[in-house]
Amino acid sequence: MRPWTPDIDLPDDARIANAAAFCERMATRHSCRSFSAAPVPRAIIETAIAAAGTAPSGANRQPWHFAALSSPGAKTALRVAVEEEERNFYGGIGGSEWQGLLQNLGTNADKPYLEVAPWIIVAFGQTKATETDRFPNPYMVESVSIACGLLLTTLHMAGLATLVHTATPARFLNRLCRRPEHERPVMLIVTGHAGADATVPAAALERKSMDQIASWF
Ligand code: IYR
């Protein structure tokens, strides 16, 4: 135990200005689906993972593991497996209600950026502390998701483009990243520099208003 470190001593107007500046910076974050092959130093990825590791977690189990892929072989294997899964999705259930949900984003089963982007980070969630443990880690998905939010935020603040790809079940990721069976992939985060032809779909520019996302009591 140690005493609480005092909050940074600032007048409220400076706190408001800091919060507003951060919010303005975050408002420029959008999902990127075209990446350039320009390299990104591993140090940025390490720092983003370190920031992710500061997330709160259920019972402080820190139930995450981040596998960072940069080798061409690993990225190609990932692309092949993801595209196979996506072809099933777009050819199957992706044809019905999902199609309506996704049409404004212009996504499809082709994911060339999985090979082009310099880094793919696979966030695994540990369902239990060890393979033989009987008790599940509480709130694993919530904890890993908060950690991924911090990871995304750090990458954005470092000036990189990002894309979250949700991956369930995607068990091939365990084999590819040599992770034990009691871990499961929660999401992939693609990062690097945006490609020259990257765009933000009009639909993605629409953000809900304060009234829509908050109520006050
Ligand atoms: N996984 C598919 C479809 C997809 C699903 C959601 I939810 C999105 O926000 C975007 C796409 C794909 O990656 O193309």
Side-chain angles (χ1 to χ4, degrees), residues 33 86 89-90 98 102 105 107-108 111 165:
R33 293 187 173 83
E86 292 297 332
F89 169 77
Y90 282 97
W98 273 98
L102 297 178
L105 298 181
T107 57
N108 59 43
K111 311 287 181 197
H165 179 90

Side-chain angles (χ1 to χ4, degrees), residues 50-182:
T54 69
S57 62
N60 193 30
R61 299 301 281 261
Q62 304 174 47
W64 40 66
H65 180 91
F66 300 94
L69 278 55
S70 62
S71 78
K75 288 190 293 179
T76 299
L78 177 80
R79 177 184 178 185
V80 168
V82 166
E83 286 187 340
E84 190 185 323
E85 200 161 74
E86 292 297 332
R87 273 193 297 276
N88 291 336
F89 169 77
Y90 282 97
I93 53 166
S96 57
E97 282 155 17
W98 273 98
Q99 208 168 40
L101 271 181
L102 297 178
Q103 64 188 5
N104 292 336
L105 298 181
T107 57
N108 59 43
D110 297 328
K111 311 287 181 197
Y113 50 77
L114 292 174
E115 272 181 292
V116 176
W119 291 97
I120 317 282
I121 305 164
V122 188
F124 286 90
Q126 298 168 334
T127 58
K128 302 183 287 185
T130 64
E131 208 130 16
T132 52
D133 210 324
R134 291 195 305 132
F135 299 104
N137 280 330
Y139 302 105
M140 182 275 276
V141 175
E142 290 86 343
S143 306
V144 174
S145 300
I146 297 171
C148 286
L150 296 177
L151 183 75
L152 273 185
T153 305
T154 309
L155 294 170
H156 179 70
M157 294 304 286
L160 296 179
T162 54
L163 177 69
V164 171
H165 179 90
T166 42
T168 41
R171 281 307 201 148
F172 60 85
L173 289 168
N174 285 69
R175 287 190 294 285
L176 185 70
C177 303
R178 297 194 212 111
R179 300 308 303 166
E181 283 304 305
H182 71 285

